[in-house]
Amino acid sequence: MRTSPVWSPKQYGTYAQERGRPFADLIGRVRADEVRTVVDLGCGPGNLTATLRDLWPEAAIRGIDSSPPMIEAAQRYADDKLTFEIGDLREWTAEPGSLDVIVTNAVLQWIPGQLDLLPGLVRALKPGGWLAIQIPGNGNAPSHSILRDLAATEPYAQYARNASLRAEVPAPDTYVDALSAEGCVVDAWETTYYHLLRGDNAVLEWVKGTGARPVLQSLPDDLRQQFEDEYGARLAEVYRQRDYGTLLPFRRIFAVAHKEA
């Protein structure tokens, strides 16, 4: 039985353009000048982290992720100013006042009590530094409610009960309160993207790379395909494939905090 998912850069890369759009929207609100030090916490396969080189070409950029396969995939983008390393966000620390920008994109939703981490992230910023956060806010969407319901039934429940499912995520105003208390000026918002996905049972292919992966990997081989088939059939009933593709509404929550100089 496996309770810790092994993330797949290949599967995660499915619909990479759609997954990358929130990252670009997040970074677009960071108004940092003369950036010299950047950390991307939860960098995944590194393709989005690499885009930061164009924005801040003089900066030393570090990508950190707890998944060895993701870091291995990210190494293709590494150079003298862009490096990648394995690390756990829950244990990560930096010298106070040492960083210009911290980015954490689509990772805090996996961490219960994520708000407890925010003071340490702000402390790591230089005066005038920036913290950029984006998390999925679609935990009540059919893609996830169907997943939870099915995983709670036998024969799956005995294996999936220890799978890492997303923690309850804060609302935008909660981020404003928490980060303002740390001496930041906060810009928070939410957006629902309507992704048009190509391919058969496209929503299943999407969630196999992210939200459903812990459950799928918790199951033994003889049940995993059975679960995937049943889950996929239920998804296809809700997210209907049409001639032009399958529409996936996806809510995301953003917060950009500017530490007072």
Side-chain angles (χ1 to χ4, degrees):
M1 181 175 65
R2 289 172 290 197
T3 56
S4 297
V6 177
W7 298 103
S8 167
K10 180 179 179 181
Q11 186 67 44
Y12 187 77
T14 304
Y15 307 114
Q17 182 175 351
E18 290 81 2
R19 293 192 196 278
R21 184 177 170 189
F23 183 89
D25 291 344
L26 174 69
I27 299 303
R29 299 282 187 100
V30 177
R31 310 300 188 189
D33 297 319
E34 298 183 359
V35 174
R36 293 292 181 267
T37 51
V38 180
V39 171
D40 183 2
L41 297 171
C43 65
N47 57 308
L48 298 177
T49 314
T51 66
L52 301 178
R53 290 182 298 194
D54 296 330
L55 187 60
W56 301 305
E58 300 303 317
I61 303 171
R62 281 193 298 151
I64 299 173
D65 201 284
S66 63
S67 167
M70 288 293 197
I71 291 297
E72 182 180 357
Q75 296 300 340
R76 76 186 71 178
Y77 302 104
D79 59 25
D80 60 337
K81 287 188 172 293
L82 176 60
T83 60
F84 296 94
E85 61 190 77
I86 295 174
D88 191 325
L89 173 55
R90 295 167 295 182
E91 301 171 356
W92 177 84
T93 60
E95 181 181 349
S98 62
L99 300 171
D100 291 304
V101 178
I102 298 173
V103 179
T104 172
N105 180 67
V107 63
L108 289 178
Q109 73 275 10
W110 296 109
I111 302 177
Q114 60 156 289
L115 295 177
D116 294 337
L117 300 177
L118 299 185
L121 298 181
V122 174
R123 281 195 300 272
L125 293 173
K126 297 176 183 177
W130 295 76
L131 170 62
I133 297 168
Q134 184 274 125
I135 57 171
N138 65 334
N140 293 324
S143 56
H144 287 71
S145 60
I146 292 170
L147 175 69
R148 290 191 296 268
D149 291 346
L150 184 57
T153 65
E154 295 297 347
Y156 312 120
Q158 61 183 304
Y159 302 100
R161 63 170 57 96
N162 293 323
S164 298
L165 295 176
R166 290 179 181 175
E168 185 174 349
V169 300
D173 62 319
T174 303
Y175 279 118
V176 174
D177 287 342
L179 291 167
S180 295
E182 299 302 320
C184 296
V185 177
V186 187
D187 178 14
W189 71 99
E190 63 179 65
T191 297
T192 298
Y193 297 89
Y194 286 82
H195 297 304
L196 184 59
L197 307 181
R198 307 291 183 181
D200 294 333
N201 213 335
V203 176
L204 175 63
E205 292 303 310
W206 177 289
V207 296
K208 279 167 59 177
T210 51
R213 196 163 186 84
V215 171
L216 290 171
Q217 293 229 318
S218 73
L219 300 173
D221 293 344
D222 59 337
L223 286 180
R224 190 175 303 114
Q225 189 60 54
Q226 177 181 320
F227 181 95
E228 186 176 317
D229 291 343
E230 188 172 351
Y231 180 43
R234 295 190 186 188
L235 289 176
E237 291 179 359
V238 176
Y239 300 96
R240 294 178 56 195
Q241 182 175 349
R242 304 182 186 275
D243 292 342
Y244 54 78
T246 301
L247 200 61
L248 173 63
F250 201 122
R251 174 177 175 255
R252 293 185 182 269
I253 297 166
F254 302 78
V256 172
H258 185 206
K259 185 175 180 178
E260 292 184 359

